[in-house]
Amino acid sequence: RAENAVPLDELAADTPLVPLAEALRHLPSHTVSEEDQLRLGHGQFVPAPDETAEGPLRVLSPEGLLLAIATVRGQREARLLAPEKVFSYSDAAHTGS
């Protein structure tokens, strides 16, 4: 939101940043397994949950990191999450250091 923004001239190294998953919280989310996390990281489709809406959604790792923005493709049992934008993290981001 605009009221939470920091002007560029006031931005400092210690300014807290909003995690991507939180910044996009207006989108529904789905958490995937570690196996599906690897598949998404390579741009592959993964099974979609039955209750997933048709619009874009946040795909989260088991740790809550935003892995991708995906859309649902297919129907019934053949519904898949198609990654539209995949995010990459360094090892430091995964370990919290």
Side-chain angles (χ1 to χ4, degrees), residues 45-46 48 52-57 59 69-73 80-84:
F45 292 12
V46 298
T52 305
E54 296 300 320
L57 72 146
V59 182
I69 302 296
T71 55
V72 177
R73 298 203 184 154
L80 296 171
L81 292 178
E84 302 293 333

Side-chain angles (χ1 to χ4, degrees), residues 12-96:
D14 61 348
T15 302
L17 300 177
V18 176
L20 284 174
E22 178 66 19
L24 298 173
R25 70 177 183 262
H26 62 282
L27 296 175
S29 67
H30 173 63
T31 301
V32 295
S33 66
E34 288 185 22
E35 180 181 322
D36 284 344
Q37 176 178 343
L38 292 172
R39 293 174 62 204
L40 280 168
H42 293 286
Q44 298 174 355
F45 292 12
V46 298
D50 293 336
E51 71 280 358
T52 305
E54 296 300 320
L57 72 146
R58 298 174 295 155
V59 182
L60 306 175
S61 72
E63 299 81 24
L65 291 173
L66 181 65
L67 300 173
I69 302 296
T71 55
V72 177
R73 298 203 184 154
Q75 297 178 359
R76 298 189 187 128
E77 302 85 36
R79 290 169 50 96
L80 296 171
L81 292 178
E84 302 293 333
K85 174 64 178 166
V86 176
F87 300 94
S88 176
Y89 297 92
S90 69
D91 288 337
H94 284 293
T95 61

Side-chain angles (χ1 to χ4, degrees), residues 5-17:
V6 176
L8 285 177
D9 60 344
E10 295 177 22
L11 196 61
D14 61 348
T15 302
L17 300 177

